[in-house]
Amino acid sequence: MLKQYLKQAWQLIKQNRFYTAVYIIGTGLAIAMVMVMAIVYHIRTANIAPEVNRDRMLIVSRATASKKGTEYNSNWGLSYETLKACYYTLETPEMIAAAVDGDNLIFGVGDFYTCLPGGKDLYKSFIQCTDANFWKIFRYDFIQGKPYTEEDFQSGMRQAVLSESLARRLFHSSEAVGRSFMLNDVEYRVSGVVKDVSPVMPHSYAELWVPFTSISSVADYAGEENIVGMFTAYLLYNKPEDIPLIEREIEQKRIAYNLGKKEWEYRTEWKYKTDKYSTILTYKRWVFRQLDFNTDFHRLIIRYGLIAFMFLLIPDVNLSGLTSSRMQEQIGELGIRKAFGATRSTLMGQVLTENFLLTFFGGIAGLLFSYLIVWRVKDTLLSRPYSVIDSGMDVSGGMLLNLPVFFYALGFCFVLNFISSYIPVRHAASRPIVDSIHDK
Amino acid sequence: MMIKHALKLIWTQRKKNGWILLELFLVFILLWYIVDFFVVLAGNSLTPQGTDIRNTYLVTYNMKRVDNPGYISYGEGSEEPGKNFLRMVSRIRQHPDVEAVSIGKNDYPYCPSSHYWPFQRDSFKTGCQVLTITPEYFHVFKVRPENGGSPEELRKKPFENKDEVILTKEVERKLFPQGSAIGRYIMDNDSSRYRVVAVTTDIKPHDYTRSHTFLYKPVDMANLLKQDDSGLWYSMDICIRTKAGVSARDFPERFKKEMKESLAIGNFFLTDVIPLSKIREFYLKSYGIISSLQYHIGFACFFLINIFLGVLGTFWLRVERRRSEIGLRMAVGSSRKSVLALMQTEGFCLLLLASIPALIVCINLAAMDIMPTDDMDFTSLRFLTDTLLTYLLLGVVILFSTWYPAHRSAKTEPAEALHYE
């Protein structure tokens, strides 16, 4: 049965080139737009190395210091003191790490330059200052050596991990372990070299990593009674049920911490006009917050859902119109076949198969077109929010060619096809035989 | 005549026109919303921004930290850091290519950080973005007084005492709706009083929005000398304007090379010279204005292509089906041109029909305050421009998408078309 449908479908495609072309282009366009959204969503939220724990991570990148008794707020990141008092001592999370990257450091410390000892060729480098646990939460690919240890971190040792590109730039080789270089006129030793990370990774991209205890101005830079600073805390949890437990534990520590403060207090809530948002976020929520910090999470989902719906709806109406017009042409033929005993479902099956074949081709075309769009516009689509890095968003093959992406594509195709074909086809196939034959 | 004909055709085929009418209805509304975005953008870019950043640069510097070699530890309360900073500024001023230098607290056009304070006068209240500057700022960025005079006039105003401030026109409108603000007083939240010594023209934070409330305060020189290295570095920025004729292409590198040694004073050292145009670029990017523009263009293209395909498809299939009718028309004397004209008229009539309910929805969107007004008020001019441009865009698409089917059908010989029964 199916074979016959496919044979007939193929015949029809060859005969109606215009219809086929418009159908495929229309489908391709719709699929391309929703696939771009799906691909960007996948790249931003799926577990991709080094951020392999995105689905079990809480991020605290913002902190609010509130002047006691007033509505005056100061918003930034966590200070080292707040980090130690409210986050490092938590027991529920499996692992706790902290870091601060180049974008935040610019305000507190300025730019970082690397060069060889005695060298004059200064290279502005994008840096991430981390603790030792950072390397346990994010999985980097070490070409040589290893990360700095907990002891290195505690004693503020001047050790560094370099990206392969930076190692090559400085030493003309990726074998750099044990060698020295200057970071803002201070000597550091290389403890490890990692494979380059794409700037697309908001929490793990850098050209070099050092323990933040090795640079005094990083840990010291704080404001509002030492409450806010530049740090982001990462909390790894075992199962989603742990999240409310972690939040409760943080709340207890926060209250205790604030008792020791005179004028200011630390709040984990961000206020905008009359809305309040938590600053303790799962990875997905953090991604949406970056898009629009001041809109409710659910409203954002609705907004993007509507956009995706619209991308499918408008072409759907197009395709329905097209299908319906074509059905008019075939009314006579349908009538005759019905008179000879074809059931409504047989007739519908035929046309739906045809349309699905076209949708399938349109879907492939759309998927390829979406890859093209993502590749051409990646700097905007995958941009780092509020970052000095605004280009070079490398997208690896693995980010585009993977099962989730293909399933999204297939799903959209199916939905599109079903909605646009079902109504017109059912309508046409339901007409009484006499009407159909007469309508010639 | 033709319109009547077209409407008749539409009516007889109304069932088949359902889909294209629905699509035109939906797309009209969505396109109208997108066109509005561009109308606001374009409309705002026509009004002056208020500052001139051509030939201006931000001179950035950093300071040695405790762990750096050559770090000098000044005692607490030492005025040396402040004096070192001012020495840097005066050496910059002496450079032959520099016309003017201003210093201030994180404050220059398109600065990523801003300080916002509430101010009031009697019962009138407004928030203002506060810039702490020296009078040369007006020269560097060519800010003019409200009566259209030269920046020099602002520079000469008394602007040294802590309580002397200069406002932009928008602040005057908000706090002194009836008259002039000059010579009068305003208060901040701590009840400190400030005397308004001048009012400038309207100033916009960037080209694509409305004018904002800005307030200028003078740098407290006495306080500056009491700051240590960190205090100065975290707050004081240095902006310069180069003399006319200085090439923008090589100035930053040249300046850095020439001034590297003389600007290494105390713990301070020169790091970069950034043209304000770059800072503006970064500002627009980080506020999402550039990407917003790209997304809107993308959406508009998507809708227009869909309408193109939709109308093309509809008319093509209609042509296929109505060959006999078209043949008949041509046999009784219709020219190809009139066949095309009829189709286009039919297309425009469909557009008009679909646009009536669509416009009702658009009017409701405007009335329900859904249209964004952050950057521009929703006036009837804005509404009219949006509507006309939407009609224009869709009209052009219909013009093109009816052309090919009409062309095709007109190519058939009347006899052949009649035979096609």
Side-chain angles (χ1 to χ4, degrees):
Chain A
M1 204 63 201
L2 191 64
K3 219 177 167 184
Q4 190 187 21
Y5 283 171
L6 284 171
K7 249 198 194 157
Q8 286 179 310
W10 189 243
Q11 276 302 316
L12 249 101
I13 288 175
K14 287 205 288 195
Q15 281 171 10
N16 287 303
R17 270 183 287 199
F18 174 79
Y19 175 80
T20 306
V22 174
Y23 201 99
I24 290 182
I25 294 175
T27 307
L29 203 61
I31 299 291
M33 298 305 260
V34 280
M35 278 314 295
V36 167
M37 289 179 79
I39 290 172
V40 170
Y41 176 77
H42 176 81
I43 293 177
R44 287 201 193 262
T45 60
N47 288 345
I48 302 174
E51 299 182 14
V52 294
N53 285 313
R54 281 176 175 175
D55 59 354
R56 51 187 201 108
M57 189 190 270
L58 287 175
I59 302 182
V60 188
S61 62
R62 294 224 176 185
T64 302
S66 210
K67 212 167 188 184
K68 288 190 184 180
T70 72
E71 282 307 307
Y72 188 76
N73 291 330
S74 186
N75 302 297
W76 209 10
L78 296 166
S79 69
Y80 191 27
E81 192 186 303
T82 309
L83 189 65
K84 283 189 284 191
C86 301
Y87 296 95
Y88 267 155
T89 49
L90 291 171
E91 283 164 10
T92 324
E94 185 184 306
M95 179 80 60
I96 303 150
V100 53
D101 71 11
D103 287 320
N104 280 304
L105 287 169
I106 285 181
F107 292 105
V109 182
D111 294 316
F112 282 85
Y113 294 89
T114 53
C115 64
L116 288 172
K120 290 219 187 119
D121 197 10
L122 292 176
Y123 173 68
K124 200 192 294 196
S125 320
F126 194 79
I127 193 174
Q128 221 181 351
C129 301
T130 79
D131 58 11
N133 282 345
F134 179 82
W135 303 98
K136 304 202 183 117
I137 287 192
F138 297 106
R139 205 198 314 144
Y140 287 81
D141 191 355
F142 277 84
I143 301 175
Q144 206 202 11
K146 56 178 182 52
Y148 32 88
T149 63
E150 181 66 30
E151 291 77 42
D152 291 335
F153 169 71
Q154 290 299 337
S155 47
M157 292 287 287
R158 291 177 184 158
Q159 300 266 44
V161 172
L162 300 184
S163 70
E164 189 178 351
S165 301
L166 186 60
R168 284 187 194 281
R169 177 180 253 276
L170 283 172
F171 306 112
H172 301 293
S173 140
S174 60
E175 313 268 309
V177 175
R179 300 176 73 163
S180 297
F181 67 97
M182 308 300 284
L183 180 67
N184 280 0
D185 294 331
V186 178
E187 189 171 324
Y188 275 75
R189 287 188 90 214
V190 180
S191 74
V193 178
V194 295
K195 258 211 158 104
D196 283 357
V197 176
S198 165
V200 164
M201 298 287 135
H203 295 282
S204 50
Y205 164 75
E207 291 175 286
L208 77 154
W209 295 260
V210 300
F212 63 74
T213 43
S214 68
I215 307 177
S216 53
S217 38
V218 170
D220 289 343
Y221 190 56
E224 321 310 7
E225 238 183 299
N226 248 343
I227 294 178
V228 292
M230 300 186 287
F231 290 99
T232 298
Y234 302 97
L235 312 172
L236 211 63
Y237 59 86
N238 268 318
K239 42 193 197 309
E241 293 77 39
D242 286 345
I243 298 178
L245 296 174
I246 296 177
E247 284 175 333
R248 216 175 303 153
E249 215 191 321
I250 295 175
E251 185 61 16
Q252 287 168 348
K253 303 242 176 219
R254 183 186 77 86
I255 293 173
Y257 178 52
N258 282 333
L259 289 174
K261 295 289 171 190
K262 288 188 275 210
E263 273 186 52
W264 295 83
E265 57 178 2
Y266 168 49
R267 292 228 188 117
T268 53
E269 268 170 355
W270 156 279
K271 263 201 231 164
Y272 182 70
K273 297 198 178 161
T274 50
D275 295 315
K276 282 196 248 185
Y277 309 107
S278 170
T279 54
I280 305 167
L281 303 166
T282 56
Y283 198 93
K284 280 206 176 83
R285 285 196 183 224
W286 180 85
V287 170
F288 278 94
R289 277 274 163 262
Q290 294 299 112
L291 286 172
D292 187 340
F293 220 91
N294 297 317
T295 303
D296 185 58
F297 180 63
H298 294 110
R299 230 178 289 164
L300 276 176
I301 302 261
I302 291 175
R303 188 197 293 175
Y304 288 105
L306 277 177
I307 294 177
F309 177 67
M310 195 185 59
F311 280 147
L312 288 177
L313 179 71
I314 306 288
D316 252 343
V317 173
N318 239 349
L319 295 173
S320 295
L322 222 62
T323 310
S324 148
S325 290
R326 238 206 78 218
M327 301 275 49
Q328 302 297 333
E329 275 180 88
Q330 300 211 299
I331 282 287
E333 182 195 319
L334 285 176
I336 293 173
R337 287 173 68 194
K338 245 192 172 170
F340 275 94
T343 62
R344 186 172 72 191
S345 38
T346 317
L347 295 173
M348 280 179 69
Q350 170 64 51
V351 185
L352 285 175
T353 309
E354 252 165 58
N355 278 357
F356 190 75
L357 199 64
L358 292 177
T359 307
F360 181 72
F361 288 135
I364 293 181
L367 187 63
L368 291 173
F369 188 43
S370 72
Y371 287 156
L372 185 72
I373 296 176
V374 169
W375 180 63
R376 294 296 313 198
V377 196
K378 60 184 155 77
D379 288 343
T380 301
L381 292 170
L382 300 169
S383 61
R384 287 173 69 94
Y386 315 109
S387 173
V388 291
I389 312 272
D390 58 1
S391 59
M393 301 296 158
D394 293 318
V395 175
S396 69
M399 292 181 193
L400 296 175
L401 299 162
N402 52 62
L403 233 49
V405 165
F406 290 144
F407 275 131
Y408 285 134
L410 211 64
F412 290 136
C413 280
F414 188 73
V415 167
L416 187 67
N417 177 67
F418 187 76
I419 295 177
S420 66
S421 301
Y422 193 73
I423 300 172
V425 172
R426 197 196 152 93
H427 178 76
S430 301
R431 294 187 60 178
I433 300 175
V434 172
D435 277 355
S436 308
I437 299 183
H438 174 70
D439 205 32
K440 246 261 145 179
Chain B
M1 184 59 223
M2 205 170 267
I3 296 178
K4 231 182 172 180
H5 207 155
L7 286 172
K8 244 197 204 158
L9 273 170
I10 293 176
W11 182 249
T12 53
Q13 313 227 332
R14 61 187 178 281
K15 278 210 194 132
K16 301 163 190 175
N17 280 325
W19 292 108
I20 191 72
L21 278 172
L22 178 64
E23 192 181 349
L24 280 168
F25 167 75
L26 287 170
V27 172
F28 190 100
I29 298 170
L30 292 164
L31 202 64
W32 187 86
Y33 191 84
I34 292 182
V35 163
D36 178 73
F37 172 83
F38 288 107
V39 164
V40 169
L41 214 76
N44 275 329
S45 63
L46 294 173
T47 59
Q49 196 251 332
T51 61
D52 186 350
I53 60 168
R54 286 171 299 180
N55 294 322
T56 57
Y57 301 83
L58 180 70
V59 178
T60 63
Y61 61 98
N62 208 330
M63 58 183 206
K64 293 196 186 143
R65 315 286 162 150
V66 181
D67 14 2
N68 290 121
Y71 173 77
I72 305 172
S73 177
Y74 296 108
E76 200 175 312
S78 165
E79 288 193 346
E80 281 309 297
K83 287 191 181 152
N84 285 336
F85 177 77
L86 292 173
R87 279 179 196 124
M88 261 206 314
V89 174
S90 83
R91 285 184 198 177
I92 292 174
R93 192 176 274 124
Q94 282 161 18
H95 190 281
D97 288 337
V98 171
E99 185 177 295
V101 184
S102 94
I103 60 178
K105 251 199 181 86
N106 283 340
D107 298 314
Y108 42 89
Y110 307 105
C111 178
S113 70
S114 55
H115 308 284
Y116 224 70
W117 290 0
F119 286 92
Q120 61 195 45
R121 199 267 313 187
D122 293 343
S123 55
F124 298 102
K125 292 193 181 151
T126 186
C128 291
Q129 189 171 324
V130 179
L131 284 75
T132 310
I133 54 170
T134 51
E136 266 184 281
Y137 175 93
F138 302 114
H139 181 130
V140 172
F141 295 110
K142 300 221 160 115
V143 178
R144 293 167 185 283
E146 59 177 329
N147 57 13
S150 79
E152 280 309 299
E153 287 176 37
L154 286 172
R155 209 177 142 171
K156 295 203 184 113
K157 296 282 176 185
F159 195 62
E160 268 173 29
N161 298 329
K162 266 201 262 199
D163 68 337
E164 283 159 349
V165 294
I166 293 182
L167 312 174
T168 60
K169 193 91 184 136
E170 186 67 19
V171 186
E172 188 186 61
R173 273 189 212 112
K174 291 240 158 80
L175 296 180
F176 299 87
Q178 270 87 36
S180 163
I182 300 183
R184 299 168 76 174
Y185 288 83
I186 61 176
M187 287 209 302
D188 68 11
N189 252 13
D190 295 327
S191 299
S192 307
R193 293 211 322 164
Y194 301 92
R195 187 166 67 90
V196 180
V197 299
V199 175
T200 70
T201 58
D202 270 319
I203 297 189
K204 306 194 289 186
H206 59 85
D207 300 277
Y208 307 110
T209 184
R210 56 169 88 238
S211 53
H212 269 204
T213 47
F214 291 96
L215 183 142
Y216 300 99
K217 288 170 89 255
V219 167
D220 187 345
M221 285 302 188
N223 191 30
L224 192 153
L225 288 170
K226 292 200 204 129
Q227 303 264 12
D228 63 3
D229 292 309
S230 307
L232 287 161
W233 185 73
Y234 288 136
S235 58
M236 298 305 280
D237 286 309
I238 306 173
C239 297
I240 61 174
R241 169 173 281 279
T242 53
K243 293 192 174 138
V246 172
S247 150
R249 219 175 330 136
D250 63 345
F251 175 74
E253 288 312 308
R254 198 162 42 85
F255 185 90
K256 281 196 280 189
K257 224 197 254 179
E258 288 168 15
M259 302 298 283
K260 188 169 173 185
E261 284 192 39
S262 62
L263 291 182
I265 308 177
N267 289 322
F268 296 127
F269 57 94
L270 174 71
T271 50
D272 212 347
V273 175
I274 309 171
L276 260 288
S277 53
K278 254 223 175 111
I279 295 187
R280 175 178 177 273
E281 219 179 274
F282 185 65
Y283 178 97
L284 290 175
K285 267 200 190 148
S286 59
Y287 275 71
I289 295 165
I290 303 282
S291 55
S292 191
L293 190 69
Q294 289 172 321
Y295 287 131
H296 279 83
I297 292 178
F299 290 164
C301 289
F302 176 75
F303 293 135
L304 291 173
I305 294 176
N306 269 291
I307 283 293
F308 181 85
L309 288 175
V311 174
L312 181 67
T314 307
F315 279 89
W316 184 292
L317 290 167
R318 211 169 283 184
V319 156
E320 301 268 313
R321 238 178 301 117
R322 279 153 58 177
R323 282 217 181 156
S324 50
E325 176 203 321
I326 294 172
L328 192 62
R329 278 178 194 279
M330 289 176 66
V332 294
S334 275
S335 69
R336 281 184 206 162
K337 268 203 195 142
S338 63
V339 169
L340 175 63
L342 182 62
M343 272 198 184
Q344 286 174 336
T345 313
E346 208 181 324
F348 292 139
C349 284
L350 284 170
L351 172 62
L352 221 70
L353 277 172
S355 69
I356 293 169
L359 275 175
I360 293 175
V361 173
C362 295
I363 292 173
N364 275 309
L365 286 178
M368 289 197 293
D369 279 329
I370 290 180
M371 302 306 289
T373 52
D374 285 339
D375 300 314
M376 190 194 264
D377 287 333
F378 201 85
T379 59
S380 26
L381 180 66
R382 181 170 159 184
F383 180 84
L384 223 67
T385 318
D386 291 347
T387 308
L388 287 174
L389 278 175
T390 309
Y391 272 122
L392 190 70
L393 278 170
L394 288 171
V396 166
V397 170
I398 289 175
L399 213 72
F400 280 109
S401 54
T402 48
W403 179 81
Y404 194 54
H407 176 80
R408 260 199 96 207
S409 75
K411 265 176 39 181
T412 50
E413 294 301 321
E416 192 191 313
L418 278 170
H419 171 71
Y420 205 86
E421 180 48 33

